[in-house]
Amino acid sequence: MRQVSVIGLLAAALIAGGGGVSGRTAPFTRADLRWLGRVTFGVDSQIVGSYRKLGREKFLDAQLHPPKDDPGGLHAAIAALTISQKGADARVFEIRQENQRINALGSDEEKQKARMALNQAANLAVYETARRHLMRAIDSPWQLREEMTWFWMNHFSVFSGKGNVRYTLADYEEQAVRPHALGKFRDLVLATATSPAMLEYLDNAQSAANRINENYARELMELHTLGVSGGPSGSRYTQQDVQELARVLTGLGLAATPQPLKLGPQLAPLYVRQGLFEFNPSRHDRNTKTVLGEKIAGKGMDEVETAVTLLCRQPATARFISAKLATYFVADDPPPALVDRMARTFEKTDGDIAAVLRVMFLDKEFLAALADDAGGHRERATKFKDPMTFVVSSVRLAYEDKALTNYHPLVGWLQQLGEPLYGRVTPDGYPLGEAAWTSSGQMVRRFEIARAIGSGNAGLFNNEDNSPGTAAGFPMLTSRFYYDAIEPSLGPRTRAALGKSNSQQEWNTVLLASPDWMER
């Protein structure tokens, strides 16, 4: 169940920002449906209602500048999760103590039992992080922030199965990524660079002046900011730049104990501690470095901020990030002119993500493509849903009026479709193009998921232990909202197939499994 009135929230945000509300109810077109399919994880009646009330630009401006907190009911549900009760530092220190206790146990049977309990707690932390992510994707009225949180979590991907990342994952998403999802790109990069999850995942926590690990420095340049050297972004950094950046990053790591590190009078002023994150100047290379032709004096933690700012202000970074955003939201092969306009905005605004998105979503060429299939824009007008968007958009449409009580089915579906949250082993994130998600096996699984959702047998209203919960029945997708907003966009084959359905459940399945529904 959507927790609050979307129209009321969006209107309040606009009034607070001086935007006002026109009160006009405009006609809803196929282009509107497609545009909303890009800005949100999927339409429902409240999103469409607010869009028709506010108009495109005001709706977008409200989405680009959401309030900090989740609305009441969603906020309360998230606050009740175990991961909301304590921070990553407390969790990791407790785990370290528990491991010491287990190692001191007398029998192998006791050790095995204790380790199983520890493993279950870790699995719960990862599951609850995924549940929180899905709750917001499905229920939050601030859909664009949740889409951008998914996008950046994929861009700055970490794998929950490595080391203690499973215990720091919840804080990584909540404190490093989501607060900056629509803010300045430099702040986002700096937040991830000082997050325990990233520092452990890409091995920088082990990097020191006398044993430098280049792994994170390389990915920071290649995957997070500049793009592949010599690639389409125009980046031209060298192996020497990677090595110099790795020297800048030495000393960034994780605290070993709850107590601050004790250092001598020369190094103590350079020590930085925030929760589990620690900058240890005794592990840092304090000599001068040269990155991208710029000399960076050995000043400790300030070097990291200087280097991140340098990387984020490169034209290659503006092009690389703009192209990736356009690939996710617009088309697998986005128009070069659109990417150029986005990149210029990125540079002009010092990496203002909201400003870049506004240029992209209101671009005349993009809007024309959405509005006109017959005018030669068909290829650019479509964007195949990745598994996350397919699953979330289907549930948003099917169960708008019912509150989910069990998120295990959704987590399982994403696993089966090859895009589990926090499950990408390599740091490059999941592919954004259609080719990765259109195999015959993928289509069979999507049909099975569509049938589970459409028939009401998905287990989404069971209890968390998967015991039977309140019977919710199957969704009634043949609603007035469907005929007003979705039916006009369907092709003749989908309409014909729907017309042959023998029951509401079958009709639901055909719609959710149709080629039209697979596209945003």
Side-chain angles (χ1 to χ4, degrees):
M1 179 186 296
R2 306 295 179 262
Q3 307 287 335
V4 291
S5 164
V6 177
I7 296 176
L9 282 171
L10 295 177
L14 282 169
I15 291 170
V21 178
S22 69
R24 175 180 60 86
T25 300
F28 193 73
T29 66
R30 178 165 56 180
D32 293 327
L33 179 66
R34 288 179 170 173
W35 186 84
L36 276 178
R38 312 298 176 95
V39 176
T40 72
F41 269 120
V43 296
D44 61 13
S45 63
Q46 294 200 48
I47 284 289
V48 171
S50 63
Y51 174 84
R52 299 180 72 172
K53 185 80 172 178
L54 302 174
R56 183 172 289 164
E57 288 196 37
K58 290 179 179 177
F59 177 90
L60 177 60
D61 285 337
Q63 290 286 331
L64 289 172
H65 303 285
K68 178 182 176 183
D69 296 327
D70 296 306
L74 183 58
H75 176 82
I78 290 173
L81 296 175
T82 302
I83 55 171
S84 303
Q85 309 308 311
K86 62 180 68 171
D89 52 343
R91 281 193 291 273
V92 169
F93 292 138
E94 286 177 2
I95 295 303
R96 289 174 181 172
Q97 287 184 334
E98 179 62 6
N99 274 319
Q100 291 175 353
R101 187 190 72 81
I102 292 173
N103 290 335
L105 290 174
S107 71
D108 290 342
E109 184 178 353
E110 286 179 304
K111 290 180 180 178
Q112 183 179 9
K113 187 176 180 181
R115 284 176 180 142
M116 285 179 62
L118 205 58
N119 199 45
Q120 288 174 350
N123 291 339
L124 177 63
V126 176
Y127 167 70
E128 284 198 346
T129 307
R131 173 176 177 148
R132 183 182 64 189
H133 191 105
L134 290 165
M135 289 168 70
R136 285 169 166 154
I138 293 169
D139 285 340
S140 175
W142 309 108
Q143 282 281 292
L144 185 53
R145 175 169 60 192
E146 306 315 323
E147 271 218 88
M148 289 306 300
T149 299
W150 186 93
F151 177 87
W152 292 126
M153 285 296 290
N154 193 50
H155 182 79
F156 297 98
S157 181
V158 297
F159 175 52
S160 63
K162 181 170 181 177
N164 284 322
V165 171
R166 50 193 175 172
Y167 300 112
T168 58
L169 182 65
D171 283 20
Y172 177 62
E173 181 171 290
E174 191 74 356
Q175 297 174 13
V177 175
R178 190 167 178 269
H180 304 292
L182 293 165
K184 293 282 190 177
F185 184 68
R186 173 192 173 276
D187 297 338
L188 177 60
V189 175
L190 192 58
T192 58
T194 55
S195 66
M198 181 63 73
L199 292 172
E200 180 167 17
Y201 172 57
L202 289 179
D203 305 316
N204 204 82
Q206 288 78 47
S207 188
N210 57 351
R211 56 175 190 283
I212 293 176
N213 188 309
E214 299 174 6
N215 195 16
Y216 177 49
R218 188 179 310 282
E219 306 305 3
L220 180 55
M221 284 184 155
E222 178 176 322
L223 297 179
H224 297 172
T225 56
L226 300 167
V228 178
S229 182
S233 69
S235 63
R236 293 291 183 270
Y237 59 89
T238 65
Q239 172 60 21
Q240 183 67 27
D241 289 316
V242 173
Q243 293 172 344
E244 292 291 281
L245 181 60
R247 292 176 58 211
V248 170
L249 298 173
T250 51
L252 294 183
L254 280 61
T257 67
Q259 294 75 35
L261 195 64
K262 292 183 179 178
L263 297 166
Q266 185 179 8
L267 296 180
L270 300 176
Y271 180 67
V272 177
R273 175 73 179 269
Q274 295 170 352
L276 190 62
F277 167 74
E278 180 180 77
F279 174 75
N280 183 349
S282 67
R283 296 164 58 90
H284 179 63
D285 182 338
R286 287 180 287 155
N287 296 310
T288 298
K289 299 91 176 174
T290 302
V291 179
L292 302 177
E294 298 285 337
K295 287 191 179 300
I296 299 177
K299 296 181 179 178
M301 186 65 195
D302 287 350
E303 295 174 49
V304 180
E305 297 187 19
T306 300
V308 167
T309 301
L310 177 64
L311 292 175
C312 291
R313 289 180 176 168
Q314 296 297 307
T317 297
R319 288 192 291 271
F320 178 60
I321 298 302
S322 296
K324 192 163 184 179
L325 286 167
T327 301
Y328 178 68
F329 284 106
V330 176
D332 289 2
D333 186 16
L338 170 60
V339 175
D340 287 344
R341 288 190 284 274
M342 294 168 64
R344 286 197 296 272
T345 302
F346 189 102
E347 290 189 76
K348 186 170 64 177
T349 62
D350 197 19
D352 188 320
I353 297 166
V356 175
L357 290 175
R358 196 175 194 280
V359 167
M360 181 185 72
F361 282 124
L362 297 180
D363 181 77
K364 291 181 180 179
E365 189 176 3
F366 174 45
L367 298 179
L370 293 177
D372 182 15
D373 283 348
H377 300 290
R378 176 66 182 173
E379 186 176 350
R380 292 205 308 260
T382 59
K383 180 68 186 172
F384 193 78
K385 292 178 179 176
D386 70 321
M388 177 71 177
T389 309
F390 168 70
V391 167
V392 172
S393 65
S394 299
V395 172
R396 279 179 56 78
L397 180 68
Y399 296 113
E400 179 179 356
D401 58 342
K402 294 184 175 65
L404 272 57
T405 54
N406 180 18
Y407 285 78
H408 286 287
L410 288 95
V411 171
W413 292 336
L414 292 173
Q415 178 80 38
Q416 293 163 18
L417 293 173
E419 200 178 36
L421 288 165
Y422 328 118
R424 181 75 169 178
V425 177
T426 52
D428 54 348
Y430 293 112
L432 302 180
E434 175 177 339
W437 311 114
T438 52
S439 69
S440 56
Q442 178 91 196
M443 292 300 99
V444 170
R445 286 301 303 134
R446 288 197 183 204
F447 182 82
E448 292 171 350
I449 292 167
R451 182 165 53 189
I453 296 173
S455 65
N457 295 326
L460 296 170
F461 303 97
N462 287 346
N463 299 311
E464 275 285 284
D465 61 1
N466 217 28
S467 60
T470 304
F474 52 81
M476 296 294 293
L477 295 185
T478 48
S479 62
R480 179 179 175 180
F481 168 70
Y482 161 77
Y483 287 107
D484 284 349
I486 297 176
E487 196 272 346
S489 71
L490 300 180
R493 290 184 179 180
T494 300
R495 294 174 191 234
L498 289 170
K500 296 177 182 177
S501 300
N502 294 314
S503 66
Q504 179 67 56
Q505 297 96 315
E506 186 176 326
W507 191 98
N508 295 341
T509 301
V510 170
L511 175 65
L512 298 179
S514 69
D516 293 296
W517 187 252
M518 296 295 171
E519 295 178 349
R520 307 180 77 177

